[in-house]
């Protein structure tokens, strides 16, 4: 399994940051690997909500089904699956000030089947993607809040 973690300062109050990130469709705006993300079900955003995500990784396009597993006031957990990987995105939020939030973002990838053999060779790519998320997320949230 590969796990990458980044701490990201967001220029938004905690409630606003959580509200933005709990809608996984917004990954199109801040995740460089996401090509498209569409909510599959309807209703309020709560545990059990699902999305169909199209991602590009190492030049290949893959489809994942994502589910919101945990929705707490300062914690979100999404789990995405397909035949070759289970991806887990955990977001922990902490107020840095009245107008800023510190986000601890952790992404884990558990490869399945033959893809598991490639795990040691994929760490650098996962680290690079995490760096890009940390770079893009603050501006995506700021743009969305305007």
């Amino acid at each position: 399994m590969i796990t990458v973690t980044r701490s990201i300062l967001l220029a938004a109050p905690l409630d606003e940051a959580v509200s933005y990130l709990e809608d996984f469709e917004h990954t199109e705006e801040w995740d460089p690997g996401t090509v498209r993300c569409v909510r599959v079900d309807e209703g309020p955003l709560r545990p059990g909500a699902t999305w169909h995500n199209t991602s590009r990784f190492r030049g290949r396009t893959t489809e994942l089904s994502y589910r919101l597993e945990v929705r707490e006031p300062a914690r979100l957990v999404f789990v995405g699956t397909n035949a070759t990987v289970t991806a887990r995105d955990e977001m922990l939020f902490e107020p840095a000030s009245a107008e800023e939030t510190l986000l601890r973002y952790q992404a884990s990838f558990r490869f399945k089947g033959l893809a598991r053999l490639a795990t040691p060779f994929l760490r650098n790519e996962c680290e690079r993607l995490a760096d890009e998320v940390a770079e893009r997320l603050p501006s995506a949230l700021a743009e969305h809040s305007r």
Side-chain angles (χ1 to χ4, degrees):
M1 180 164 70
I2 298 172
T3 300
V4 293
T5 304
R6 296 295 182 272
S7 293
I8 307 166
L9 186 62
L10 303 173
L14 187 139
D15 289 347
E16 187 178 318
V18 172
S19 179
Y20 173 72
L21 289 167
E22 75 180 340
D23 186 347
F24 211 63
E25 280 190 18
H26 293 143
T27 57
E28 291 181 28
E29 300 167 7
W30 56 265
D31 180 357
T34 297
V35 175
R36 189 155 195 263
C37 192
V38 178
R39 180 129 184 236
V40 176
D41 62 342
E42 297 178 357
L45 290 169
R46 61 178 175 228
T50 55
W51 291 262
H52 180 83
N53 180 286
T54 305
S55 292
R56 189 175 331 267
F57 184 72
R58 295 180 54 105
R60 302 184 91 171
T61 301
T62 186
E63 310 286 324
L64 292 102
S65 296
Y66 269 91
R67 176 183 167 94
L68 177 57
E69 296 288 328
V70 176
R71 187 353 179 149
E72 297 172 353
R75 181 175 176 238
L76 298 170
V77 177
F78 297 91
V79 176
T81 59
N82 68 16
T84 59
V85 69
T86 296
R88 184 175 190 271
D89 292 73
E90 181 169 8
M91 302 172 194
L92 299 171
F93 302 84
E94 179 182 318
S97 71
E99 296 300 318
E100 293 181 315
T101 300
L102 181 62
L103 168 65
R104 184 173 178 268
Y105 175 76
Q106 181 173 297
S108 301
F109 307 92
R110 181 178 303 279
F111 295 95
K112 306 173 191 176
L114 291 177
R116 218 177 43 224
L117 300 174
T119 299
F121 306 103
L122 300 176
R123 172 164 291 287
N124 287 343
E125 184 70 13
C126 292
E127 293 285 352
R128 185 188 64 75
L129 285 172
D131 288 342
E132 289 182 26
V133 165
E135 184 180 313
R136 290 173 67 166
L137 183 50
S139 58
L141 174 56
E143 184 68 29
H144 182 80
S145 299
R146 289 182 196 181

